[in-house]
Amino acid sequence: MAEVHVIGQLVGASGFPEHSLFCKWGIHIGGAWKVLSGLREGQTQVDNPQNQEAAYWSHPIDLHLATKGLQGWPKIHFQVWHQDSFGRNELYGYGFCHLPTSPGIHDIDCPTWRPAGEFREQVSQHFLGGGPQLKNPDLIYSGADRYRLHTVAMGKVHLQLGVVLRNFDRYGIEC
Amino acid sequence: MLPYITEHQVAHQVKITKMAQTVFLLMAGGQIESAEFPEFDDIYCKYCFTYGSDWLITSGLEEGITQITKKSKDDRQEFVWNFPLDITFKSTNPHGWPQLVIHCYGIDVFGQDVVRGYGMCHVPITPGRHKRKVPMFVPESASALQKFTAWFLGRRPEFVDPKVVAQGEGREVTRVRSQGFVTVSFNVVSKDMKKLGYDVIPSEVSTTVVPDNVGMAKGQTEA
């Protein structure tokens, strides 16, 4: 079996309306793939930065995957949450990105979005906070039912991922 | 000495070469160059490496402490350590790749050591020169009372073991405040990774070398 190592970190996020952010992340893989070791999901610390430019998580990722096929190449998905001074959490964005297929170090900026809701919901969110969330988080990384949604742009999640491939050339895979 | 080697010795030699074939080496040189902490002065820094159970240090120091430095007097307002890192690892498996954990301390008006930031980064996986700007953060007090006593006694919360910043588990309970950066440069050399089948840089797709057995039906042999 060919093997993939993902070694890197969830660096942080920028461009969100407020900081004090944390992130729930997970990895989605196809049926031919298997996680041999490492955490396949997690949650970062809450960072409330001194300078309000970007939040930093420095959250390490070290995954060892094995695969029998190329279909279902791994995707990493995120939910960015805002924690206010009372400890209340509010959804700030969803996003996903594919694991790079080429080995090496990759700096990735992943754009995020959140559901906008109807006009009434938007008004109430403006004054009260909160807001709609996805009932089915599979929508973050699948394109099937997206057309029903109205969404709005949020900030970016920054990742630095190192990809090490093993034995791909033995099967004639070029990447 | 015997002019020939015994069967036992041959078996031993084969074992050694087989063992050698499963190990790769990673050498990382570099330096903890400098830092930005706009609010503080008099900072020193400790570092240590953490790594998985398959990894071993073959040479170099696992941890160290830098000198105490003041900010530059110009408008860069930079702390410079220029502190050398030089370490070699060996491993059989990239999982548990070494991480550099940095923690900085400052000296407050009472002469006490106060933590100014924790940070971590992986040793780069690809050979060559790399520069990393490591964000530094400190844990925050969990309650208003603790916040007050921290301010009153001048003692901030700290991590008991700085290596927790290199772990992915159990971080959801921590609230931190990022307040600076440390710049680290690495020079990375690896040995025998390709021999073990690991690719850390893209292969040349245009001039690829295809092994003979690729694309042949099962059981088919070369004529």
Side-chain angles (χ1 to χ4, degrees), chain B residues 21-195:
Chain B
Q21 273 165 13
T22 62
V23 172
F24 64 87
L25 293 176
L26 177 76
M27 192 199 89
Q31 57 173 279
I32 302 175
E33 287 186 0
S34 59
E36 290 166 37
F37 285 98
E39 290 180 51
F40 306 113
D41 213 338
D42 295 300
I43 287 190
Y44 69 94
C45 157
K46 297 184 184 178
Y47 77 85
C48 56
F49 285 95
T50 69
Y51 41 87
S53 51
D54 297 332
W55 289 75
L56 264 179
I57 292 179
T58 58
S59 80
L61 295 172
E62 187 174 346
E63 49 189 30
I65 306 183
T66 69
Q67 71 273 28
I68 302 176
T69 179
K70 279 188 192 299
K71 255 187 274 205
S72 64
K73 301 289 181 211
D74 51 21
D75 51 354
R76 288 179 304 149
Q77 298 279 296
E78 196 178 38
F79 297 91
V80 172
W81 286 302
N82 188 228
F83 189 85
L85 298 174
D86 212 338
I87 195 157
T88 308
F89 297 93
K90 74 173 178 189
S91 177
T92 52
N93 181 357
H95 183 68
W97 196 273
Q99 285 160 283
L100 175 68
V101 174
I102 302 171
H103 35 133
C104 291
Y105 296 84
I107 293 154
D108 68 359
V109 283
F110 307 109
Q112 298 184 92
D113 285 358
V114 186
V115 69
R116 296 296 187 218
Y118 296 90
M120 77 88 186
C121 68
H122 281 96
V123 174
I125 59 158
T126 56
R129 182 171 155 81
H130 305 267
K131 213 164 191 178
R132 292 283 179 272
K133 197 174 174 190
V134 182
M136 302 297 285
F137 50 83
V138 285
E140 293 230 287
S141 303
S143 67
L145 178 68
Q146 282 175 343
K147 211 170 256 179
F148 174 73
T149 51
W151 171 81
F152 192 71
L153 300 171
R155 279 180 56 83
R156 304 198 35 96
E158 290 179 23
F159 291 128
V160 176
D161 181 7
K163 288 182 181 174
V164 295
V165 299
Q167 287 163 12
E169 267 171 315
R171 289 169 82 107
E172 55 270 24
V173 290
T174 38
R175 286 178 63 96
V176 302
R177 186 171 190 82
S178 54
Q179 53 185 13
F181 296 94
V182 170
T183 307
V184 185
S185 65
F186 288 100
N187 288 297
V188 177
V189 182
S190 60
K191 175 177 159 26
D192 289 342
M193 285 203 71
K194 184 71 204 177
K195 203 186 262 178

Side-chain angles (χ1 to χ4, degrees), chain A residues 5 7-8 37 43 45-50 56-60 62 83 103-104 160 164-167 169 175, chain B residues 39 93-97 120 122 132 166 168 171-172 174-179 194 196-200 202-203:
Chain A
H5 286 271
I7 295 160
S37 52
Q43 184 176 323
Q45 60 208 14
V46 185
D47 184 30
N48 185 16
Q50 187 99 43
Y56 292 99
W57 299 314
S58 299
H59 189 96
D62 191 336
Q83 189 174 71
Q160 186 171 61
V164 181
L165 304 181
R166 189 187 196 190
N167 294 340
D169 46 2
C175 47
Chain B
E39 290 180 51
N93 181 357
H95 183 68
W97 196 273
M120 77 88 186
H122 281 96
R132 292 283 179 272
R171 289 169 82 107
E172 55 270 24
T174 38
R175 286 178 63 96
V176 302
R177 186 171 190 82
S178 54
Q179 53 185 13
K194 184 71 204 177
L196 299 186
Y198 292 109
D199 280 310
V200 292
S203 56

Side-chain angles (χ1 to χ4, degrees), chain A residues 61-75:
Chain A
I61 294 175
D62 191 336
L63 266 171
H64 185 186
L65 304 154
T67 180
K68 283 184 259 176
L70 290 177
Q71 282 75 33
W73 193 273
K75 294 178 188 132

